[in-house]
Amino acid sequence: MTAKRIASVVAHRLAILAYVAFALFPLYWLLKVSVTPNKLLYSEGIKMWPSRTSFEHFEFVLKHSDFPVFFKNSLIVSGSTAIIVTVLASLAGYAMSRFDFRGKYWIVTLMLLTQMFPLVMLVAPIFKILSPLGLTNSLTGLVIVYTAFNVPFATFLMQSFFDGIPKDLEEAAMIDGATQFVAFRQIILPLTLPGIAATLGFVFTAAWSELLFSLMLISGNDAATFPVGLLSFVSKFSVDFGQMMAAGVMALIPACLFFLLIQRYLVQGLTAGAVKG
Amino acid sequence: MASIDIAAIHKSYGIHPVLHGIDLEIKDGEFVVLVGPSGCGKSTLLRMIAGLEAVTDGEIRIDGKRVNDLAPKDRDIAMVFQSYALYPHMSVAKNMSYSLRLRKTAKEKIASVVASAATKLGLDPLMERRPKALSGGQRQRVAMGRAIVREPKAFLFDEPLSNLDARLREQMRAEIKKLHQDLGATSIYVTHDQIEAMTLADRIVAMHGGIIQQVGSPLELYDNPANLFVAGFIGSPGMNFFEGRYLATGDTANFALTGGIVLPLGGTAKLADGSRATLGIRPEHVILGAEGPDTMMATVDLVEPTGFGIIVHLKLGPVAFKAFTLDRRFLGMHGEVAVKLPVPNLHFFNEEGRKV
Ligand SMILES: Nc1ncnc2c1ncn2[C@@H]1O[C@H](COP(=O)(O)OP(=O)(O)OP(=O)(O)O)[C@@H](O)[C@H]1O
Ligand SMILES: [Mg+2]
């Protein structure tokens, strides 16, 4: 039995290792290319690590390109989208989870329906709607579009977190003297922090890496987000891979920081001990 | 403290009726226990009193004031949930003081009230812990503490002890009774547990199918059940029932069981000659090893010692019934035994199941 068990554990670990290597290899390559000096980029052939590393690409991107602007725009758009969506989705998800109201079924159906269309189909109509409002070529327009597209899924996500919190808790709070809203804010919301963190993270990364709408709605560099900015390293005759990869590595930083910040909540089971153990 | 009046309460969930006209007057300081099988609407009734469930029809008054449309927070009652429903992100002290903090009570007042409740419940060393670091019994106490700090008009309990083991349940039962004697608060207590109902209640309300079957003191329900449901529900092991036909012959009567056996009754009951009826007798009233007239021979099926006494499973022809005795002579019993069903202890129920 033990030999068999050890074998199965080893096989399990190896499978995980293979998966992690497969998933992380592109990131590794990104890093590798970004630190490879231009001279070696095409001359060395395919090597796992360049014989000499340098930060020249990073320096160039930070000092001589519009990348800092893209970066700032992306931060503003993704951050606002994540916050707005999470607030809306928390309220809507709570209503979905706790209240019975007329038309609930139809609202859910409608929300599901919005998730079924390929985004490409919607680009032209959305452009048509936003342009007379002066919302093309503006960060506000992007935030509105991203919010609209992310709210349905985020609502379902938040609803499932609220569903996991026993109803007894807010009933107890209401008997203790709270209104339903106070019970929501003081009792339920603190227990949903893992869910809120997950939603924030999900929406933030979705907005951070969105290219299609950003590309279609924004022209010029002032309001471009960084995925669009990355494309500016592709010129007519060549692609500046080193600088592009350096920009890519820097673009990873906020996402990593963000997940570091929220991972405490993601793994925590805050509801433990609420009801009988 | 307050009285609670429940008048002609109906409740439906959509088209499904759950409560069919409940009338109940609970006096100030009374301890009322609701019992009944699962799904009979006990929790629903309790939640309507708390304001957690809308009233479909009828009126609920607390202290003479109609509360049908008041929010739970304005009814000034406390409730202990079966799941305890402690706030997981708050310490024991914060859990207990939450209601007072919501009411903006002065800090010193909160501290003293919470401290005295904690002492009363033996929670002093646990005040800074989170609920997840407590045992089931300790959580139960915190839930009680949360209810008593506020001195509400009434306490509602929905099966508060059903998640505890037998020993702890016994202990908490006694503590709840003591607490009630101390505080004298009007209390409504829902339970499945016979013993809890019998020991705690001033009055028991037996419910079945959304209808009150009988209201009375524990012994009234035990000695004089109004119908078959109450007779079968109260008491453990439960009352024996024999179905059959009542046959009167002058001033003595017989009871012909459906299996063909005729029980001599040695007296009469208020039933028409030849009518179908059910005869009930509690296991502890069945006399084993009886002598003299009106005895019958029954077959011993199974003997269950409980330590305190012995439950004997018997058969009269095809009809099974139980006897309970404290006499250890019957431990090794097998084969046949003479039994007697003493007439004063018999309960007769007519065809509709009402006691006659
Ligand atoms: N939200 C609801 N929607 C529809 N039906 C419900 C709802 N809540 C309860 N019921 C029904 O009402 C009836 C009474 O339920 P209730 O919870 O009051 O029973 P109970 O006597 O407390 O049972 P238990 O002893 O198992 O707790 C049940 O048949 C139940 O299915
Ligand atoms: Mg119940």
Side-chain angles (χ1 to χ4, degrees):
Chain A
M1 169 226 152
T2 42
K4 225 171 149 187
R5 264 195 76 120
I6 291 172
S8 91
V9 168
V10 168
H12 180 228
R13 297 290 147 82
L14 280 179
I16 291 178
L17 200 70
Y19 171 75
V20 170
F22 182 75
L24 291 185
F25 187 74
L27 289 184
Y28 167 75
W29 209 248
L30 187 76
L31 190 72
K32 182 229 153 191
V33 173
S34 73
V35 295
T36 308
N38 256 341
K39 267 191 248 132
L40 298 179
L41 204 51
Y42 298 104
S43 56
E44 264 201 330
I46 297 174
K47 277 175 86 173
M48 287 310 283
W49 195 249
S51 51
R52 188 170 62 80
T53 62
S54 88
F55 289 99
E56 61 186 61
H57 300 309
F58 289 89
E59 201 181 325
F60 181 87
V61 166
L62 285 175
K63 286 194 181 146
H64 306 292
S65 76
D66 279 335
F67 188 79
V69 178
F70 304 150
F71 196 83
K72 190 191 78 199
N73 288 342
S74 262
L75 263 188
I76 292 172
V77 171
S78 307
S80 332
T81 306
I83 289 167
I84 295 173
V85 167
T86 305
V87 169
L88 289 178
S90 301
L91 296 171
Y94 182 75
M96 292 287 184
S97 167
R98 292 298 201 262
F99 300 142
D100 250 332
F101 48 88
R102 212 176 308 160
K104 181 170 169 181
Y105 173 82
W106 290 108
I107 291 177
V108 172
T109 313
L110 213 65
M111 279 179 17
L112 271 177
L113 215 63
T114 61
Q115 301 293 294
M116 289 177 192
F117 295 100
L119 292 185
V120 191
M121 278 172 57
L122 302 173
V123 170
I126 287 199
F127 189 86
K128 267 297 220 202
I129 296 169
L130 293 189
S131 108
L133 298 171
L135 287 174
T136 54
N137 223 359
S138 95
L139 295 183
T140 318
L142 270 190
V143 170
I144 291 173
V145 172
Y146 291 171
T147 300
F149 280 109
N150 281 303
V151 157
F153 182 77
T155 300
F156 291 132
L157 198 64
M158 285 309 295
Q159 181 191 349
S160 70
F161 282 105
F162 287 122
D163 284 345
I165 293 178
K167 223 178 154 181
D168 283 2
L169 285 181
E170 69 219 90
E171 289 180 347
M174 278 157 68
I175 286 178
D176 267 350
T179 60
Q180 178 131 23
F181 186 72
V182 170
F184 169 72
R185 215 182 33 154
Q186 298 187 343
I187 306 295
I188 304 302
L189 219 48
L191 299 176
T192 328
L193 282 182
I196 289 175
T199 309
L200 273 176
F202 173 82
V203 178
F204 185 89
T205 36
W208 186 258
S209 55
E210 207 284 336
L211 173 65
L212 182 65
F213 278 94
S214 185
L215 196 60
M216 296 300 169
L217 297 179
I218 308 289
S219 51
N221 279 356
D222 287 347
T225 57
F226 110 85
V228 179
L230 275 189
L231 289 180
S232 68
F233 294 102
V234 183
S235 63
K236 210 164 189 177
F237 304 106
S238 70
V239 180
D240 203 324
F241 277 114
Q243 290 167 15
M244 194 170 174
M245 298 298 156
V249 168
M250 285 190 278
L252 281 175
I253 293 170
C256 290
L257 280 182
F258 196 79
F259 272 94
L260 268 183
L261 213 67
I262 63 174
Q263 63 99 20
R264 182 165 88 84
Y265 297 104
L266 283 177
V267 293
Q268 210 171 44
L270 259 175
T271 42
V275 294
K276 91 171 190 120
Chain B
M1 304 307 132
S3 62
I4 299 177
D5 298 331
I6 295 163
I9 284 293
H10 289 258
K11 175 71 186 179
S12 310
Y13 286 109
I15 55 162
H16 302 287
V18 174
L19 296 176
H20 311 266
I22 301 285
D23 286 288
L24 187 61
E25 286 190 9
I26 298 164
K27 290 192 284 291
D28 187 6
E30 199 175 15
F31 200 115
V32 167
V33 174
L34 301 180
V35 293
S38 193
C40 72
K42 307 179 295 286
S43 299
T44 305
L45 182 58
L46 204 66
R47 292 166 54 83
M48 283 163 84
I49 298 170
L52 297 172
E53 210 76 66
V55 175
T56 307
D57 195 19
E59 193 167 83
I60 297 175
R61 287 184 297 270
I62 298 178
D63 230 358
K65 190 173 139 224
R66 182 187 149 99
V67 296
N68 283 33
D69 304 313
L70 280 189
K73 73 184 179 67
D74 300 319
R75 297 191 184 195
D76 195 18
I77 42 176
M79 183 158 167
V80 178
F81 291 76
Q82 178 175 7
S83 64
Y84 314 142
L86 302 179
Y87 312 128
H89 56 305
M90 296 184 190
S91 66
V92 169
K94 288 263 157 60
N95 259 284
M96 285 171 62
S97 62
Y98 184 62
S99 62
L100 298 173
R101 282 183 286 139
L102 281 173
R103 285 178 172 69
K104 308 244 186 310
T105 314
K107 275 221 171 62
E108 309 76 54
K109 174 95 193 300
I110 294 181
S112 78
V113 172
V114 169
S116 86
T119 311
K120 201 176 276 172
L121 292 162
L123 289 170
D124 285 317
L126 308 172
M127 292 311 273
E128 291 316 313
R129 293 221 197 141
R130 293 279 175 91
K132 72 163 168 259
L134 298 177
S135 73
Q138 291 166 337
R139 285 179 201 176
Q140 219 290 322
R141 269 170 233 263
V142 177
M144 301 279 300
R146 199 169 61 178
I148 64 173
V149 291
R150 227 172 71 207
E151 300 178 9
K153 287 194 177 134
F155 289 107
L156 308 178
F157 301 87
D158 194 353
E159 307 192 29
L161 305 184
S162 58
N163 285 334
L164 303 179
D165 65 48
R167 172 74 42 220
L168 204 52
R169 196 146 58 192
E170 211 171 284
Q171 185 188 340
M172 286 309 297
R173 195 175 74 210
E175 286 188 26
I176 289 178
K177 182 143 197 173
K178 245 186 279 163
L179 215 57
H180 180 249
Q181 283 169 356
D182 281 0
L183 303 172
T186 313
S187 307
I188 307 180
Y189 190 105
V190 169
T191 182
H192 274 123
D193 187 306
Q194 300 272 337
I195 314 279
E196 269 171 43
M198 297 297 281
T199 52
L200 286 172
D202 292 327
R203 278 194 302 160
I204 293 182
V205 177
M207 289 176 63
H208 182 45
I211 295 171
I212 292 184
Q213 303 290 325
Q214 189 175 4
V215 182
S217 72
L219 291 183
E220 249 169 78
L221 264 70
Y222 191 81
D223 293 338
N224 209 358
N227 56 34
L228 272 176
F229 169 78
V230 178
F233 194 78
I234 305 281
S236 174
M239 189 184 274
N240 297 303
F241 294 117
F242 303 93
E243 284 184 24
R245 208 171 274 284
Y246 179 79
L247 304 169
T249 45
D251 53 355
T252 60
N254 289 319
F255 195 81
L257 301 189
T258 14
I261 293 167
V262 175
L263 296 181
L265 294 178
T268 58
K270 284 183 236 122
L271 282 164
D273 181 26
S275 63
R276 299 202 56 80
T278 304
L279 182 155
I281 183 166
R282 294 213 177 269
E284 66 268 30
H285 292 145
V286 175
I287 298 175
L288 291 173
E291 286 168 10
D294 298 341
T295 61
M296 295 168 298
M297 295 310 284
T299 323
V300 178
D301 233 10
L302 184 69
V303 177
E304 290 180 316
T306 66
F308 170 59
I310 300 157
I311 302 170
V312 186
H313 294 242
L314 297 159
K315 264 198 167 150
L316 257 184
V319 187
F321 68 108
K322 290 177 199 163
F324 181 83
T325 175
L326 296 178
D327 191 341
R328 295 208 170 170
R329 274 187 305 151
F330 294 103
L331 258 183
M333 194 170 49
H334 52 82
E336 294 216 314
V337 65
V339 297
K340 184 171 172 173
L341 312 180
V343 179
N345 294 324
L346 293 179
H347 304 265
F348 290 96
F349 303 93
N350 65 16
E351 251 189 302
E352 290 88 56
R354 306 229 135 268
K355 166 134 187 173
V356 293

